Amino acid sequence: MARFWLGGYAAGAGGIASGISTLVAGDVDSESAGGPLSFGGEVAAASRSPSWISAHPTLDVVYAALEGAGSVQAYRRTGESSFAPLGTAVEAGESVCHVAVAPNGLSLIASCWSDGRVVRMSLDAAGRPSSPTLGAPAADPYALNASPEPQPDSGADLAQATRALRAAAGSEFSHLIPDHDGPIDNVPGVEQVPADAPGVAASRPSRTHQAAFVRDGLIATTDMGLDLVRFWRMVDSQLQFVQQVVLPLGSGPRHMVWHPSGHLYVVAELSCEIFALAPDITGKWRLVAGSQLGAGILPGDTAAELAPSRDGEFLYAGVRGSNTLATIRVRGAGDALAPVAVVEAGVNWPRHHVVVRDTLLVAGQFSNDIASLTLDTRTGVPSAVRHRVEAPSPTCLLAAR
């Protein structure tokens, strides 16, 4: 049996959740989550859309991105299925949509979709957040008027990245990746704006969507609006910008997965692609591979979450619109990605999913349910839905300790 805390959208965001709730997956006497699902009800009231929740690494404290309030709230566990607010909510930014807690438990990073903020908060001994500080704002690498000075690693590697993407895509998809003599354009399904058009910087707002603690104190953040993955370090309790990697124009990097191979995999929401990033011998991060999520992706589809299999051999991407799950195999030393299959997710709007041993749990934001699918141990592909339970506008599943 496995227990999860569920984040969700409240009425102000078009949902029906009223707080953080709980899910139980699997039989009581089993370590598997593949058995029946049961919804355990609300464990903490939160009327402003706790759309993402993360746990402290050692304390019985969880942090909710209250997207409707633009703030981060800590909750202390008070019982087996109950939480109480820990301190007051701390302002982060408009539509804060993700919270990542540092492995040492001393800080967290909040990502804000509407204003593009990257916000660091200190955590005290009890886990209370405070003292928000902002990382440097991003500039559009495709807009000539975005910044008079080029950012570190902001565009010098685009030609190399294009060659890597063509090689990774193979003959079936390589024609979709344009030649590069400047900003990449002609991305299928994305309305293009000339890089030198007046006001292009204002037409592409910064949209930070996730932060991930990668390794050796390095932090990565995605900017969906400006097609960037940016890297940071903590210096004297401040976020210090290190470098950025530019992804194809209009791809919309959303979420990331750190892999044991040392690669950082990024799913692109708007182009429904997956990219592999890795550091070179100098420590500079580069774009080393990329792939479409697979055949069957429809125009207008948007990718959501990215999650690895237990052994890291496969990656799973949720696709909203067609409501599917894409399976991608990790090959070589982690620097090659190959689409395997795209199957029905079994829910409407698969916003988030997690892998628990041989089971994939999928949150259907619009169908108000959680579904479980069994993973084929040979092919890695999810099966049809085995179990389902109603849950209010679920947007995040967090494994409970």
Side-chain angles (χ1 to χ4, degrees), residues 89-117:
V90 180
E91 181 180 358
E94 293 183 43
S95 304
V96 56
C97 58
H98 188 271
V99 175
V101 185
N104 61 12
L106 298 179
S107 62
L108 63 79
I109 306 296
S111 301
C112 304
W113 188 84
S114 286
D115 57 20
R117 285 184 173 187

Side-chain angles (χ1 to χ4, degrees), residues 3-391:
R3 184 187 296 273
F4 297 86
W5 313 125
L6 304 180
Y9 273 136
I16 59 173
S18 58
I20 301 170
S21 53
T22 184
L23 170 81
V24 176
D27 297 311
V28 175
D29 57 352
S30 173
E31 295 184 0
S32 171
L37 304 176
S38 61
F39 178 70
E42 185 178 289
V43 298
S47 62
R48 301 301 298 276
S49 294
S51 60
W52 187 271
I53 47 177
S54 296
H56 191 282
T58 57
L59 302 173
D60 263 343
V61 175
V62 299
Y63 303 91
L66 301 181
E67 191 165 338
S71 60
V72 173
Q73 175 68 62
Y75 292 89
R76 176 178 56 89
R77 191 169 180 178
T78 56
E80 182 178 358
S81 298
S82 61
F83 286 84
L86 177 64
T88 58
V90 180
E91 181 180 358
E94 293 183 43
S95 304
V96 56
C97 58
H98 188 271
V99 175
V101 185
N104 61 12
L106 298 179
S107 62
L108 63 79
I109 306 296
S111 301
C112 304
W113 188 84
S114 286
D115 57 20
R117 285 184 173 187
V118 179
V119 186
R120 179 200 181 272
M121 298 182 186
S122 297
L123 301 178
D124 67 13
R128 295 181 187 87
S130 65
S131 307
T133 58
L134 303 183
D140 191 344
Y142 289 100
L144 296 183
N145 61 340
S147 174
E149 297 294 333
Q151 296 292 328
D153 208 40
S154 63
D157 300 320
L158 285 176
Q160 178 183 347
T162 302
R163 291 192 294 271
L165 285 174
R166 283 181 174 273
S171 58
E172 184 178 359
F173 296 113
S174 62
H175 68 284
L176 299 176
I177 301 170
D179 293 322
H180 175 64
D181 291 316
I184 297 176
D185 54 13
N186 300 323
V187 179
V190 178
E191 181 180 354
Q192 301 302 319
V193 179
D196 58 353
V200 68
S203 70
R204 278 169 51 87
S206 176
R207 305 285 197 199
T208 305
H209 212 287
Q210 187 204 19
F213 288 83
V214 180
R215 66 177 189 184
D216 301 327
L218 197 66
I219 303 161
T221 60
T222 55
D223 194 310
M224 201 185 90
L226 301 181
D227 304 314
L228 295 172
V229 177
R230 299 202 287 166
F231 292 89
W232 315 76
R233 288 193 183 278
M234 299 277 200
V235 178
D236 297 329
S237 300
Q238 302 287 325
L239 281 170
Q240 183 180 81
F241 175 74
V242 177
Q243 72 158 113
Q244 64 189 26
V245 175
V246 182
L247 298 188
L249 179 63
S251 53
R254 179 183 171 94
H255 275 199
M256 303 168 286
V257 166
W258 170 249
H259 194 264
S261 66
H263 291 78
L264 184 66
Y265 299 118
V266 185
V267 67
E269 175 172 340
L270 302 180
S271 63
C272 290
E273 296 173 281
I274 183 170
F275 300 101
L277 279 58
D280 61 18
I281 58 173
T282 70
K284 286 285 188 179
W285 283 77
R286 312 285 187 186
L287 177 57
V288 298
S291 171
Q292 301 288 325
L293 292 182
I297 305 297
L298 302 177
D301 277 353
T302 57
E305 183 59 291
L306 186 67
S309 63
R310 189 181 180 188
D311 58 7
E313 184 179 357
F314 298 96
L315 299 167
Y316 301 99
V319 181
R320 299 166 297 182
S322 60
N323 295 332
T324 52
L325 293 165
T327 302
I328 303 97
R329 186 187 296 270
V330 177
R331 294 188 178 277
D335 56 354
L337 299 165
V340 176
V342 176
V343 301
E344 294 292 328
V347 299
N348 186 0
W349 213 252
R351 171 66 177 257
H352 191 243
H353 59 271
V354 295
V355 176
V356 187
R357 296 179 179 270
D358 62 347
T359 301
L360 189 66
L361 298 175
V362 188
Q365 180 183 332
F366 291 168
S367 50
N368 297 306
D369 59 1
I370 306 289
S372 67
L373 298 82
T374 301
L375 299 174
D376 188 297
T377 56
R378 181 178 61 85
T379 66
V381 178
S383 69
V385 172
R386 291 191 61 193
H387 301 282
R388 184 189 308 277
V389 67
E390 292 183 358

